[in-house]
């Protein structure tokens, strides 16, 4: 490699913590940060584009890809499968670009095991469970039962906060976004991350005289 | 401790890399970041205040403090001694405040050995040796010989860049300052740094329902 590899950012959070909005804002403002398009077996919703929102594939295709080990991680949610393709992510990292994955704690664990030298993980915490409940209710589309199930799932997800490298509390959107921005920027300033670049720079510095 | 301890930031750089200006700007804008006032045996210059710019002490006092192990690190420069008092720094850290030390690679090594759980170190690199030479000449107060000696010292200092946790290239002052700001902010978002705080928060979150 003639440059440092990219960092694979894992972003996890209980549903309702604001992960998706934060991820979208981060990708919009950080140059070169790329998000992986997931594979899924669920049917496209109106307006969703194949290759943009998801790669829509059949159950058979998905199973065959899983069989061949082509997913960094995959999971079943409400009877549908979702997976992150490994080859695209690796290609970005080797080219020096950062990638962002929005996955749950189980996916995070698999990715960490598979790419330990590249993965760095961030967990978004809601400021309180009542805020989380308000946010989940606020969507206004779901029954009390669905909300209760989501809250239970959120509590389960929360219990895994201690497996992550960074914790960001999303009490204020702008502050949480600034936190994420700092985490990404600082990670690239770590010596190990730029050893090669700076080693070369130094050789140039000291040899130049 | 009922809160996370502070971080002891070590800032090192070859002379002329812009370390002092960056440190001053950083302390001015980061709330709660404190700088240690060094002890020195050199005489006060006009306008310098005891206890503000330095703690001015006699050679005997300095030697006795060194003997009693009261310095985190100390060094001789042009026949004068300079040292960082340990007790004040530890007190700040235990109160949860970050401290900033501007010291050279030798001092950095001593501090890392003495407070390995608290110290994080940043090395400021000049964009090139010719920039450094220009900056050293730019001060316009020194003979060619003094400048040559400083440059030699700068090259020696540069060779220790690989002992530091972070590398920041000071090509553009505002960008380098933003780098430092990100490093400080991100460090406080690391899980280990806020394990206690977030552990408590989580207990509160999950117990609150």
């Amino acid at each position: 490699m003639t440059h440092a590899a990219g960092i694979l950012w894992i972003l996890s959070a209980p549903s309702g913590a604001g992960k998706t909005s934060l991820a979208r804002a981060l990708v919009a403002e950080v140059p070169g940060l790329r998000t992986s398009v997931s594979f899924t077996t669920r049917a496209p919703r109106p307006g969703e584009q194949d290759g943009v929102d998801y790669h829509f594939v059949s159950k058979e295709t998905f199973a065959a890809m899983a069989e061949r080990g082509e997913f960094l991680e995959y999971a079943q949610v409400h009877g549908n499968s979702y997976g992150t393709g490994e080859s695209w992510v690796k290609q970005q990292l080797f080219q020096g670009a950062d990638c962002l994955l929005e996955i749950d704690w189980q996916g995070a664990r698999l990715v960490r095991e598979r790419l330990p030298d590249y993965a760095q993980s961030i967990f978004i915490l809601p400021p309180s469970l009542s805020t989380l409940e308000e946010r989940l209710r606020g969507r206004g589309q779901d029954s009390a039962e669905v909300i209760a199930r989501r809250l239970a799932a959120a509590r389960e997800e929360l219990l895994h906060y201690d497996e992550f490298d960074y914790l960001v509390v999303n009490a204020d959107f702008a502050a949480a976004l600034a936190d994420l921005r700092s985490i990404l920027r600082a990670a690239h300033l770590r010596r190990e991350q730029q050893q090669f670049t700076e080693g070369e720079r130094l050789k140039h510095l000291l040899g130049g005289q």
Side-chain angles (χ1 to χ4, degrees), chain A:
Chain A
M1 274 187 294
T2 56
H3 53 75
I7 296 171
L8 180 53
W9 293 103
I10 297 170
L11 200 61
S12 299
S15 171
K19 178 185 64 174
T20 305
S21 312
L22 283 169
R24 202 167 292 157
L26 193 66
V27 168
E29 73 170 46
V30 176
L33 178 61
R34 298 170 193 177
T35 40
S36 159
V37 176
S38 296
F39 290 82
T40 184
T41 59
R42 91 158 158 69
R45 289 178 189 148
E48 282 185 340
Q49 278 184 279
D50 186 37
V52 176
D53 299 291
Y54 287 95
H55 297 293
F56 295 101
V57 296
S58 68
K59 287 191 177 183
E60 293 69 31
T61 301
F62 196 98
M65 290 179 72
E67 183 73 24
R68 292 194 299 266
E70 293 177 12
F71 291 124
L72 261 181
E73 58 82 36
Y74 62 96
Q76 280 230 341
V77 183
H78 306 311
N80 298 307
S81 299
Y82 296 83
T84 305
E86 181 166 73
S87 66
W88 184 87
V89 168
K90 277 188 164 173
Q91 204 182 335
Q92 308 310 309
L93 296 174
F94 296 163
Q95 286 173 5
D98 281 16
C99 287
L100 184 69
L101 302 182
E102 290 179 59
I103 51 181
D104 71 2
W105 68 271
Q106 298 181 78
R109 221 179 240 188
L110 292 169
V111 173
R112 258 186 232 111
E113 276 167 24
R114 197 132 166 173
L115 296 174
D117 295 339
Y118 300 93
Q120 296 202 32
S121 57
I122 306 171
F123 193 81
I124 313 281
L125 283 167
S128 71
L129 263 199
S130 56
T131 315
L132 196 69
E133 200 172 336
E134 270 166 40
R135 284 181 194 167
L136 290 176
R137 282 190 204 291
R139 295 185 181 174
Q141 303 160 339
D142 308 292
S143 68
E145 197 190 320
V146 167
I147 292 170
R149 206 169 57 214
R150 282 221 192 101
L151 257 174
R155 289 166 70 93
E156 172 61 27
E157 184 82 21
L158 270 172
L159 289 170
H160 295 276
Y161 82 101
D162 64 346
E163 299 169 19
F164 289 76
D165 298 317
Y166 296 93
L167 303 177
V168 169
V169 179
N170 184 15
D172 172 78
F173 186 84
L177 183 59
D179 282 347
L180 293 175
R181 202 188 293 133
S182 294
I183 292 169
L184 266 67
R185 185 168 186 152
H188 285 279
L189 298 166
R190 290 197 74 86
R191 180 179 30 82
E192 318 91 88
Q193 188 63 28
Q194 44 178 347
Q195 192 84 2
F196 185 89
T197 328
E198 293 313 319
E200 284 300 294
R201 180 192 295 271
L202 194 73
K203 242 189 271 169
H204 182 76
L205 271 174
L206 297 174
Q209 240 212 345

